[in-house]
Amino acid sequence: MTYEQYFQAEREAQLAELKEWLAIPSISALSVHKEDVNSAAHWLTDTLKRAGLENIEIHPTAGHPVIYADYLHAPGKPTILVYGHYDVQPVDPLHLWTTPPFEPEIRDGKLYARGATDDKGQVFMHIKAIEAILKQEGTLPVNIKLCIEGEEEIGSVNLPPFLEASKDKLAADAVLVSDTALLERGRPAICTGLRGLCSLEVSVHTASTDLHSGSYGGGVPNALHALVSLLSSLHDDKGRVAVEGFYQGVPELSPLLREEFAKQGVNEEKIRESLGLDQLYGEEGYSFVERVGARPTLELNGVYGGFQGEGSKTVIPKEAHAKITCRLVGDQDPQHILDAVEAHLNANIQAGAKVQVKQMEKARAFNIDPSNPILQTAADAFGKVYGTRALFTKDGGSIPIMESFSRILKAPVVLMGFGLDDENLHAPDEHFNLENFDKGLLTIVEFLKTV
Protein backbone atom coordinates (compact mmCIF):
# COMPACT_ATOMS: atom_id res chain seq x y z
CA MET A 1 0.00 0.00 0.00
CA THR A 2 1.06 3.61 -0.40
CA TYR A 3 2.27 5.62 2.57
CA GLU A 4 -0.89 7.72 2.36
CA GLN A 5 -2.97 4.55 2.71
CA TYR A 6 -0.75 3.23 5.49
CA PHE A 7 -1.02 6.36 7.61
CA GLN A 8 -4.75 6.64 7.01
CA ALA A 9 -5.22 3.08 8.24
CA GLU A 10 -3.03 3.68 11.30
CA ARG A 11 -4.26 7.20 12.13
CA GLU A 12 -6.68 6.48 14.96
CA ALA A 13 -4.32 4.05 16.68
CA GLN A 14 -1.43 6.49 16.36
CA LEU A 15 -3.41 9.40 17.79
CA ALA A 16 -4.59 7.23 20.68
CA GLU A 17 -0.96 6.35 21.35
CA LEU A 18 0.10 9.99 21.22
CA LYS A 19 -2.63 10.90 23.68
CA GLU A 20 -1.09 8.45 26.18
CA TRP A 21 2.20 10.35 26.03
CA LEU A 22 0.52 13.74 26.21
CA ALA A 23 -1.36 12.64 29.33
CA ILE A 24 1.93 12.39 31.26
CA PRO A 25 2.64 15.80 32.93
CA SER A 26 6.36 15.87 32.14
CA ILE A 27 6.96 19.45 33.35
CA SER A 28 10.72 19.72 33.69
CA ALA A 29 10.67 23.07 35.51
CA LEU A 30 8.77 21.77 38.54
CA SER A 31 10.49 19.30 40.88
CA VAL A 32 7.12 17.88 41.93
CA HIS A 33 6.90 16.41 38.40
CA LYS A 34 10.30 14.69 38.40
CA GLU A 35 8.74 11.23 38.39
CA ASP A 36 6.34 12.27 35.64
CA VAL A 37 9.30 13.34 33.50
CA ASN A 38 10.88 9.93 34.14
CA SER A 39 7.61 8.24 33.23
CA ALA A 40 7.51 10.14 29.93
CA ALA A 41 11.09 9.01 29.21
CA HIS A 42 10.23 5.37 29.84
CA TRP A 43 7.06 5.66 27.75
CA LEU A 44 9.29 6.91 24.95
CA THR A 45 11.75 4.02 25.20
CA ASP A 46 8.90 1.50 25.07
CA THR A 47 7.49 3.22 21.99
CA LEU A 48 10.88 3.31 20.26
CA LYS A 49 11.27 -0.42 20.86
CA ARG A 50 7.84 -1.18 19.38
CA ALA A 51 8.68 0.99 16.37
CA GLY A 52 11.70 -1.18 15.60
CA LEU A 53 14.54 1.03 16.82
CA GLU A 54 17.59 -0.63 18.37
CA ASN A 55 20.22 0.04 21.04
CA ILE A 56 17.74 2.03 23.12
CA GLU A 57 19.38 3.65 26.12
CA ILE A 58 18.35 5.93 28.98
CA HIS A 59 21.28 8.17 29.90
CA PRO A 60 21.01 9.77 33.36
CA THR A 61 22.16 13.37 33.73
CA ALA A 62 22.36 15.76 36.66
CA GLY A 63 18.75 16.56 35.78
CA HIS A 64 16.40 14.59 33.53
CA PRO A 65 17.55 11.71 31.31
CA VAL A 66 18.51 11.73 27.64
CA ILE A 67 17.12 8.96 25.44
CA TYR A 68 19.24 7.41 22.67
CA ALA A 69 18.24 4.88 20.01
CA ASP A 70 19.41 3.97 16.53
CA TYR A 71 18.93 1.83 13.44
CA LEU A 72 22.21 1.49 11.55
CA HIS A 73 21.75 -0.90 8.65
CA ALA A 74 22.43 1.26 5.59
CA PRO A 75 26.16 1.09 4.89
CA GLY A 76 27.39 3.89 2.67
CA LYS A 77 24.22 5.92 3.23
CA PRO A 78 23.92 9.14 5.27
CA THR A 79 23.33 9.07 9.01
CA ILE A 80 20.55 11.32 10.28
CA LEU A 81 20.35 12.23 13.97
CA VAL A 82 16.81 13.13 15.07
CA TYR A 83 16.63 15.52 18.03
CA GLY A 84 13.60 16.50 20.09
CA HIS A 85 12.38 16.83 23.66
CA TYR A 86 9.78 15.12 25.79
CA ASP A 87 9.49 17.72 28.55
CA VAL A 88 6.78 20.38 28.51
CA GLN A 89 6.06 23.83 29.91
CA PRO A 90 4.06 24.48 33.10
CA VAL A 91 0.33 24.91 32.49
CA ASP A 92 -0.53 28.05 34.47
CA PRO A 93 -2.97 29.78 34.39
CA LEU A 94 -4.98 26.59 34.60
CA HIS A 95 -8.40 28.29 34.52
CA LEU A 96 -7.77 29.52 30.96
CA TRP A 97 -7.69 25.98 29.56
CA THR A 98 -10.91 24.87 27.86
CA THR A 99 -10.15 21.26 28.78
CA PRO A 100 -7.53 19.99 31.28
CA PRO A 101 -4.00 20.23 29.81
CA PHE A 102 -3.16 16.59 30.44
CA GLU A 103 -6.48 15.17 29.24
CA PRO A 104 -5.88 15.29 25.47
CA GLU A 105 -8.92 16.07 23.35
CA ILE A 106 -9.49 16.49 19.62
CA ARG A 107 -11.71 19.43 18.62
CA ASP A 108 -12.21 20.83 15.13
CA GLY A 109 -9.29 18.89 13.68
CA LYS A 110 -6.89 19.98 16.41
CA LEU A 111 -5.35 17.95 19.23
CA TYR A 112 -5.42 19.95 22.49
CA ALA A 113 -2.95 19.16 25.29
CA ARG A 114 0.22 20.54 26.81
CA GLY A 115 3.06 19.32 24.60
CA ALA A 116 0.82 18.66 21.59
CA THR A 117 2.90 20.87 19.29
CA ASP A 118 5.91 21.59 21.56
CA ASP A 119 7.34 19.04 21.19
CA LYS A 120 5.82 15.63 21.86
CA GLY A 121 3.52 15.71 18.84
CA GLN A 122 6.35 16.59 16.47
CA VAL A 123 8.79 14.05 17.97
CA PHE A 124 6.09 11.39 17.76
CA MET A 125 5.79 11.95 14.01
CA HIS A 126 9.44 11.05 13.49
CA ILE A 127 9.00 7.82 15.42
CA LYS A 128 5.92 6.88 13.42
CA ALA A 129 7.54 7.81 10.09
CA ILE A 130 10.48 5.54 10.90
CA GLU A 131 8.11 2.78 12.01
CA ALA A 132 6.13 3.13 8.78
CA ILE A 133 9.19 2.73 6.56
CA LEU A 134 10.34 -0.31 8.54
CA LYS A 135 6.91 -1.95 8.28
CA GLN A 136 6.49 -1.08 4.60
CA GLU A 137 10.00 -1.85 3.38
CA GLY A 138 11.70 -3.91 6.08
CA THR A 139 14.62 -1.51 6.50
CA LEU A 140 15.50 2.18 6.38
CA PRO A 141 17.04 4.00 3.39
CA VAL A 142 19.42 5.85 5.73
CA ASN A 143 21.03 5.28 9.11
CA ILE A 144 19.03 6.78 11.96
CA LYS A 145 19.99 7.91 15.44
CA LEU A 146 17.71 9.61 17.95
CA CYS A 147 18.64 11.92 20.83
CA ILE A 148 15.56 12.99 22.80
CA GLU A 149 16.04 15.03 25.96
CA GLY A 150 13.90 16.05 28.93
CA GLU A 151 15.19 19.55 29.68
CA GLU A 152 14.68 21.72 26.59
CA GLU A 153 12.07 23.82 28.36
CA ILE A 154 14.58 24.70 31.09
CA GLY A 155 17.50 25.51 28.79
CA SER A 156 18.97 22.05 28.02
CA VAL A 157 21.59 22.65 30.71
CA ASN A 158 22.75 19.03 30.86
CA LEU A 159 22.67 18.22 27.15
CA PRO A 160 25.90 19.98 25.98
CA PRO A 161 28.05 17.87 28.36
CA PHE A 162 26.27 14.77 27.04
CA LEU A 163 26.97 15.85 23.45
CA GLU A 164 30.64 16.44 24.24
CA ALA A 165 30.97 13.04 25.95
CA SER A 166 29.03 11.22 23.21
CA LYS A 167 30.39 12.79 20.02
CA ASP A 168 31.32 9.43 18.50
CA LYS A 169 28.01 7.81 19.41
CA LEU A 170 26.04 10.75 18.00
CA ALA A 171 28.18 11.39 14.90
CA ALA A 172 25.90 12.12 11.94
CA ASP A 173 25.76 13.75 8.53
CA ALA A 174 22.87 15.96 9.62
CA VAL A 175 20.70 16.71 12.63
CA LEU A 176 16.95 16.67 11.93
CA VAL A 177 14.69 18.70 14.24
CA SER A 178 10.96 19.41 14.29
CA ASP A 179 10.39 22.11 16.90
CA THR A 180 9.56 25.11 14.73
CA ALA A 181 6.58 26.26 12.66
CA LEU A 182 5.27 26.68 9.15
CA LEU A 183 4.90 30.26 7.92
CA GLU A 184 1.17 29.74 7.96
CA ARG A 185 -1.29 27.01 7.06
CA GLY A 186 -0.16 25.35 3.82
CA ARG A 187 3.09 27.36 3.60
CA PRO A 188 6.04 25.29 4.89
CA ALA A 189 9.28 26.86 6.05
CA ILE A 190 12.77 25.74 6.96
CA CYS A 191 14.38 27.87 9.62
CA THR A 192 17.98 28.82 8.82
CA GLY A 193 18.54 30.99 11.87
CA LEU A 194 17.51 31.21 15.50
CA ARG A 195 18.30 34.10 17.76
CA GLY A 196 20.51 33.57 20.76
CA LEU A 197 19.55 34.64 24.26
CA CYS A 198 20.86 36.10 27.46
CA SER A 199 19.01 37.30 30.53
CA LEU A 200 19.56 39.19 33.75
CA GLU A 201 17.74 40.42 36.83
CA VAL A 202 18.17 44.00 38.03
CA SER A 203 17.59 45.24 41.58
CA VAL A 204 17.70 48.87 42.67
CA HIS A 205 18.02 49.74 46.37
CA THR A 206 17.81 53.08 48.13
CA ALA A 207 16.96 53.62 51.84
CA SER A 208 17.14 50.93 54.49
CA THR A 209 13.33 50.82 54.74
CA ASP A 210 10.21 51.95 52.90
CA LEU A 211 9.40 55.55 53.79
CA HIS A 212 6.27 57.70 54.24
CA SER A 213 5.90 59.89 51.15
CA GLY A 214 4.59 62.80 53.23
CA SER A 215 7.53 62.82 55.61
CA TYR A 216 10.26 62.05 53.05
CA GLY A 217 8.82 62.73 49.57
CA GLY A 218 11.02 65.05 47.53
CA GLY A 219 13.95 64.63 49.86
CA VAL A 220 15.14 61.07 49.28
CA PRO A 221 15.67 58.81 46.26
CA ASN A 222 12.76 56.61 45.20
CA ALA A 223 13.80 53.11 44.07
CA LEU A 224 10.99 52.89 41.53
CA HIS A 225 11.82 56.29 40.04
CA ALA A 226 15.49 55.30 39.84
CA LEU A 227 14.69 51.98 38.17
CA VAL A 228 12.29 53.45 35.62
CA SER A 229 14.84 56.12 34.69
CA LEU A 230 17.54 53.47 34.39
CA LEU A 231 15.45 51.19 32.21
CA SER A 232 14.44 54.09 29.97
CA SER A 233 18.12 54.73 29.21
CA LEU A 234 18.49 51.31 27.57
CA HIS A 235 16.91 52.44 24.26
CA ASP A 236 17.04 55.58 22.14
CA ASP A 237 13.99 57.24 20.59
CA LYS A 238 14.35 55.19 17.39
CA GLY A 239 14.01 51.80 19.06
CA ARG A 240 17.72 51.06 18.99
CA VAL A 241 19.48 49.60 22.04
CA ALA A 242 21.61 52.37 23.57
CA VAL A 243 24.12 50.09 25.33
CA GLU A 244 27.68 50.65 24.17
CA GLY A 245 29.00 47.60 22.31
CA PHE A 246 25.59 45.93 22.07
CA TYR A 247 25.70 45.61 18.28
CA GLN A 248 29.18 44.08 18.14
CA GLY A 249 28.93 40.95 15.96
CA VAL A 250 25.57 41.89 14.40
CA PRO A 251 25.69 41.37 10.61
CA GLU A 252 24.08 43.83 8.24
CA LEU A 253 21.14 42.43 6.30
CA SER A 254 22.24 41.58 2.77
CA PRO A 255 19.98 42.42 -0.18
CA LEU A 256 19.53 38.68 -0.76
CA LEU A 257 18.37 38.09 2.81
CA ARG A 258 16.01 41.04 2.67
CA GLU A 259 14.59 39.57 -0.53
CA GLU A 260 13.99 36.25 1.26
CA PHE A 261 12.18 38.07 4.05
CA ALA A 262 10.05 39.92 1.50
CA LYS A 263 9.06 36.60 -0.13
CA GLN A 264 7.30 35.62 3.08
CA GLY A 265 4.66 38.20 2.29
CA VAL A 266 4.09 39.13 5.92
CA ASN A 267 1.12 41.48 6.26
CA GLU A 268 2.09 43.95 8.98
CA GLU A 269 -1.36 45.52 9.04
CA LYS A 270 -2.94 42.12 9.66
CA ILE A 271 -0.51 41.50 12.51
CA ARG A 272 -1.27 44.89 14.01
CA GLU A 273 -5.01 44.31 13.87
CA SER A 274 -4.80 40.76 15.24
CA LEU A 275 -2.89 42.05 18.27
CA GLY A 276 -5.26 44.94 18.90
CA LEU A 277 -2.48 47.52 18.49
CA ASP A 278 -2.68 51.08 17.18
CA GLN A 279 0.70 50.54 15.53
CA LEU A 280 3.70 48.21 15.55
CA TYR A 281 6.96 49.36 17.13
CA GLY A 282 10.62 48.52 16.77
CA GLU A 283 14.04 49.46 15.52
CA GLU A 284 13.77 52.10 12.81
CA GLY A 285 14.71 51.08 9.27
CA TYR A 286 13.59 47.45 9.43
CA SER A 287 10.36 45.63 8.62
CA PHE A 288 8.50 43.61 11.23
CA VAL A 289 9.79 40.29 9.91
CA GLU A 290 13.36 41.61 9.78
CA ARG A 291 13.14 42.92 13.33
CA VAL A 292 11.91 39.64 14.80
CA GLY A 293 14.02 37.34 12.64
CA ALA A 294 17.38 38.98 12.15
CA ARG A 295 17.85 41.88 14.56
CA PRO A 296 18.85 41.77 18.24
CA THR A 297 16.58 43.02 21.00
CA LEU A 298 16.58 44.02 24.64
CA GLU A 299 13.20 43.49 26.29
CA LEU A 300 11.77 44.16 29.74
CA ASN A 301 9.93 41.03 30.89
CA GLY A 302 8.92 42.21 34.32
CA VAL A 303 9.14 45.40 36.39
CA TYR A 304 7.95 45.39 39.99
CA GLY A 305 8.32 47.10 43.36
CA GLY A 306 6.46 49.14 45.94
CA PHE A 307 2.83 48.76 46.94
CA GLN A 308 0.67 46.75 44.54
CA GLY A 309 -2.37 45.94 46.62
CA GLU A 310 -5.87 47.35 46.40
CA GLY A 311 -6.29 51.01 47.17
CA SER A 312 -3.61 53.58 47.95
CA LYS A 313 -0.53 53.47 50.14
CA THR A 314 1.64 56.58 50.18
CA VAL A 315 4.97 54.85 50.37
CA ILE A 316 8.41 55.50 48.90
CA PRO A 317 9.73 52.01 48.14
CA LYS A 318 13.25 51.09 49.20
CA GLU A 319 13.73 48.61 46.33
CA ALA A 320 12.54 47.84 42.82
CA HIS A 321 13.28 45.04 40.38
CA ALA A 322 13.27 44.20 36.69
CA LYS A 323 13.81 41.13 34.53
CA ILE A 324 15.49 41.63 31.15
CA THR A 325 16.13 39.33 28.21
CA CYS A 326 18.13 39.99 25.05
CA ARG A 327 17.65 38.12 21.78
CA LEU A 328 20.94 37.87 19.91
CA VAL A 329 21.91 37.40 16.26
CA GLY A 330 25.00 36.69 14.19
CA ASP A 331 28.20 36.48 16.23
CA GLN A 332 26.99 38.37 19.29
CA ASP A 333 28.65 36.93 22.40
CA PRO A 334 26.06 36.55 25.18
CA GLN A 335 28.68 37.06 27.90
CA HIS A 336 29.85 40.29 26.24
CA ILE A 337 26.24 41.49 26.02
CA LEU A 338 25.57 40.75 29.70
CA ASP A 339 28.74 42.58 30.73
CA ALA A 340 27.91 45.54 28.48
CA VAL A 341 24.38 45.87 29.84
CA GLU A 342 25.64 45.59 33.43
CA ALA A 343 28.25 48.29 32.75
CA HIS A 344 25.57 50.55 31.28
CA LEU A 345 23.33 50.08 34.29
CA ASN A 346 26.13 50.86 36.72
CA ALA A 347 27.12 53.97 34.74
CA ASN A 348 23.58 55.36 34.57
CA ILE A 349 22.13 54.66 38.01
CA GLN A 350 20.55 57.68 39.66
CA ALA A 351 22.41 59.41 42.50
CA GLY A 352 21.50 57.95 45.89
CA ALA A 353 20.50 54.58 44.48
CA LYS A 354 22.48 51.36 44.15
CA VAL A 355 22.04 48.74 41.42
CA GLN A 356 22.69 45.01 41.62
CA VAL A 357 22.75 42.76 38.54
CA LYS A 358 22.35 38.99 38.47
CA GLN A 359 23.49 37.50 35.17
CA MET A 360 21.55 34.40 34.13
CA GLU A 361 21.10 32.25 31.00
CA LYS A 362 23.33 32.52 27.93
CA ALA A 363 23.00 31.02 24.44
CA ARG A 364 24.54 31.91 21.09
CA ALA A 365 22.55 32.38 17.91
CA PHE A 366 22.28 29.56 15.38
CA ASN A 367 22.70 30.07 11.62
CA ILE A 368 23.04 27.81 8.59
CA ASP A 369 23.51 28.59 4.89
CA PRO A 370 20.25 27.76 3.06
CA SER A 371 22.22 26.64 -0.01
CA ASN A 372 23.34 23.54 1.92
CA PRO A 373 22.24 20.55 -0.23
CA ILE A 374 20.46 18.78 2.65
CA LEU A 375 18.31 21.85 3.27
CA GLN A 376 17.44 21.90 -0.42
CA THR A 377 16.39 18.24 -0.17
CA ALA A 378 14.21 19.09 2.83
CA ALA A 379 12.59 21.96 0.93
CA ASP A 380 11.83 19.58 -1.95
CA ALA A 381 10.26 17.06 0.47
CA PHE A 382 7.93 19.75 1.77
CA GLY A 383 7.11 20.72 -1.80
CA LYS A 384 6.13 17.21 -2.81
CA VAL A 385 3.67 16.81 0.09
CA TYR A 386 2.38 20.36 0.61
CA GLY A 387 2.37 21.33 -3.06
CA THR A 388 4.57 24.34 -2.36
CA ARG A 389 8.30 24.31 -1.69
CA ALA A 390 9.46 25.45 1.74
CA LEU A 391 10.79 28.98 2.09
CA PHE A 392 13.96 29.60 4.08
CA THR A 393 13.32 31.79 7.11
CA LYS A 394 14.92 33.07 10.27
CA ASP A 395 13.06 32.59 13.53
CA GLY A 396 12.97 35.17 16.28
CA GLY A 397 12.85 32.52 18.97
CA SER A 398 15.69 30.62 20.58
CA ILE A 399 16.44 26.91 20.77
CA PRO A 400 19.81 27.20 22.53
CA ILE A 401 20.86 23.63 21.93
CA MET A 402 20.83 24.04 18.12
CA GLU A 403 24.09 25.98 18.19
CA SER A 404 25.59 23.27 20.42
CA PHE A 405 24.61 20.49 18.01
CA SER A 406 26.06 22.38 15.06
CA ARG A 407 29.31 23.24 16.82
CA ILE A 408 29.96 20.03 18.77
CA LEU A 409 28.88 17.50 16.15
CA LYS A 410 29.99 19.65 13.19
CA ALA A 411 26.85 18.69 11.29
CA PRO A 412 24.21 20.79 9.52
CA VAL A 413 20.95 21.20 11.44
CA VAL A 414 17.74 20.82 9.43
CA LEU A 415 14.80 22.54 11.15
CA MET A 416 11.71 20.97 9.56
CA GLY A 417 8.91 22.24 11.78
CA PHE A 418 5.24 21.31 11.42
CA GLY A 419 3.65 23.57 14.00
CA LEU A 420 1.78 26.83 13.49
CA ASP A 421 2.45 30.09 15.30
CA ASP A 422 -1.12 30.27 16.62
CA GLU A 423 -1.05 26.87 18.36
CA ASN A 424 -0.55 28.41 21.83
CA LEU A 425 2.73 26.72 22.65
CA HIS A 426 3.69 27.74 26.21
CA ALA A 427 0.13 29.07 26.70
CA PRO A 428 -3.30 27.71 27.69
CA ASP A 429 -5.09 25.58 25.08
CA GLU A 430 -1.90 24.46 23.34
CA HIS A 431 -2.85 22.37 20.32
CA PHE A 432 -1.55 20.72 17.16
CA ASN A 433 -3.37 20.95 13.84
CA LEU A 434 -3.85 17.38 12.68
CA GLU A 435 -3.63 18.47 9.05
CA ASN A 436 0.08 19.00 9.71
CA PHE A 437 0.31 15.77 11.67
CA ASP A 438 -0.90 13.94 8.56
CA LYS A 439 1.25 15.88 6.10
CA GLY A 440 4.21 15.89 8.44
CA LEU A 441 4.38 12.11 8.52
CA LEU A 442 4.48 11.98 4.73
CA THR A 443 7.05 14.79 4.53
CA ILE A 444 9.42 13.07 6.95
CA VAL A 445 9.12 9.81 5.00
CA GLU A 446 9.80 11.67 1.75
CA PHE A 447 12.86 13.37 3.25
CA LEU A 448 14.34 10.13 4.64
CA LYS A 449 13.82 8.36 1.33
CA THR A 450 15.46 11.09 -0.77
CA VAL A 451 18.23 12.53 1.40
Side-chain angles (χ1 to χ4, degrees):
M1 67 176 70
T2 67
Y3 281 98
E4 289 90 341
Q5 292 169 332
Y6 172 88
F7 285 123
Q8 185 175 5
E10 295 290 327
R11 191 174 193 266
E12 293 306 313
Q14 290 181 350
L15 289 176
E17 193 174 356
L18 175 56
K19 286 181 179 180
E20 291 179 6
W21 202 20
L22 292 171
I24 303 173
S26 51
I27 304 171
S28 55
L30 303 178
S31 58
V32 69
H33 287 287
K34 181 176 178 60
E35 288 307 312
D36 294 316
V37 178
N38 285 332
S39 294
H42 282 89
W43 186 97
L44 176 59
T45 59
D46 291 342
T47 303
L48 292 170
K49 184 176 181 179
R50 290 196 302 271
L53 275 300
E54 301 172 342
N55 301 310
I56 301 165
E57 301 165 354
I58 298 180
H59 291 271
T61 72
H64 301 302
V66 176
I67 308 303
Y68 173 86
D70 63 34
Y71 192 90
L72 308 175
H73 299 287
K77 297 294 185 179
T79 297
I80 305 299
L81 174 65
V82 177
Y83 163 80
H85 64 93
Y86 61 87
D87 64 320
V88 301
Q89 281 278 326
V91 297
D92 308 275
L94 189 59
H95 71 279
L96 294 181
W97 287 80
T98 303
T99 51
F102 297 110
E103 295 180 18
E105 180 175 291
I106 295 174
R107 304 193 300 272
D108 301 321
K110 303 172 183 178
L111 175 57
Y112 286 82
R114 174 58 90 226
T117 188
D118 182 23
D119 183 38
K120 287 179 179 175
Q122 298 202 56
V123 170
F124 185 77
M125 288 193 302
H126 286 277
I127 299 170
K128 291 302 164 182
I130 292 167
E131 180 181 69
I133 298 174
L134 286 172
K135 286 187 174 180
Q136 290 273 88
E137 304 183 29
T139 189
L140 298 180
V142 293
N143 300 294
I144 286 287
K145 299 177 181 179
L146 292 96
C147 175
I148 315 297
E149 67 156 322
E151 296 185 326
E152 194 274 344
E153 300 293 4
I154 53 174
S156 302
V157 290
N158 290 299
L159 190 55
F162 175 77
L163 297 182
E164 290 282 6
S166 308
K167 283 189 286 190
D168 292 340
K169 176 189 288 287
L170 299 174
D173 296 290
V175 181
L176 178 59
V177 184
S178 294
D179 198 10
T180 50
L182 283 70
L183 277 175
E184 59 186 20
R185 183 180 177 185
R187 295 187 68 202
I190 295 174
C191 179
T192 63
L194 292 160
R195 291 194 287 191
L197 178 72
C198 63
S199 65
L200 60 154
E201 292 183 353
V202 181
S203 297
V204 169
H205 297 270
T206 50
S208 59
T209 184
D210 288 353
L211 299 169
H212 190 291
S213 67
S215 301
Y216 292 93
V220 297
N222 181 311
L224 274 173
H225 289 181
L227 178 64
V228 170
S229 174
L230 187 60
L231 298 179
S232 180
S233 75
L234 291 169
H235 293 86
D236 65 19
D237 59 2
K238 295 183 178 180
R240 187 174 172 88
V241 178
V243 174
E244 184 177 353
F246 184 84
Y247 289 92
Q248 182 177 318
V250 176
E252 288 300 318
L253 298 188
S254 67
L256 181 61
L257 184 55
R258 293 197 122 163
E259 184 181 335
E260 284 296 309
F261 278 126
K263 286 180 183 177
Q264 295 181 29
V266 173
N267 186 328
E268 294 194 5
E269 184 64 13
K270 183 178 179 181
I271 293 172
R272 182 195 65 76
E273 289 180 356
S274 70
L275 297 176
L277 293 169
D278 293 329
Q279 65 181 59
L280 299 177
Y281 175 81
E283 187 181 3
E284 189 175 274
Y286 299 93
S287 68
F288 173 84
V289 70
E290 288 170 347
R291 289 170 184 162
V292 301
R295 295 298 293 171
T297 66
L298 186 154
E299 299 285 358
L300 307 181
N301 308 122
V303 179
Y304 51 100
F307 178 67
Q308 299 176 54
E310 184 179 357
S312 174
K313 182 181 182 184
T314 54
V315 64
I316 299 174
K318 69 169 186 173
E319 62 183 70
H321 310 272
K323 294 179 182 290
I324 298 173
T325 53
C326 302
R327 299 285 180 171
L328 312 178
V329 301
D331 292 323
Q332 281 182 296
D333 180 352
Q335 185 60 60
H336 167 75
I337 297 300
L338 288 172
D339 292 342
V341 174
E342 182 169 354
H344 177 96
L345 295 172
N346 281 312
N348 289 274
I349 187 65
Q350 190 180 93
K354 298 181 289 291
V355 62
Q356 293 180 329
V357 176
K358 179 182 178 182
Q359 299 186 5
M360 299 175 68
E361 57 196 325
K362 296 177 290 186
R364 285 185 172 271
F366 161 77
N367 290 284
I368 185 171
D369 186 344
S371 66
N372 189 296
I374 199 163
L375 266 66
Q376 295 297 319
T377 300
D380 290 339
F382 270 118
K384 183 163 185 180
V385 175
Y386 280 82
T388 181
R389 198 170 188 267
L391 286 176
F392 296 106
T393 65
K394 289 189 179 292
D395 196 314
S398 303
I399 309 178
I401 200 62
M402 292 302 97
E403 188 274 338
S404 298
F405 270 110
S406 178
R407 173 174 46 81
I408 296 171
L409 299 185
K410 295 179 171 54
V413 177
V414 185
L415 287 159
M416 295 180 70
F418 299 95
L420 289 172
D421 283 336
D422 64 357
E423 290 179 332
N424 291 9
L425 63 165
H426 294 202
D429 278 354
E430 178 182 346
H431 58 276
F432 190 23
N433 282 263
L434 295 181
E435 174 187 14
N436 291 319
F437 176 82
D438 297 331
K439 290 184 176 180
L441 289 165
L442 294 171
T443 303
I444 295 167
V445 169
E446 178 66 22
F447 174 75
L448 294 178
K449 287 173 66 66
T450 56
V451 66

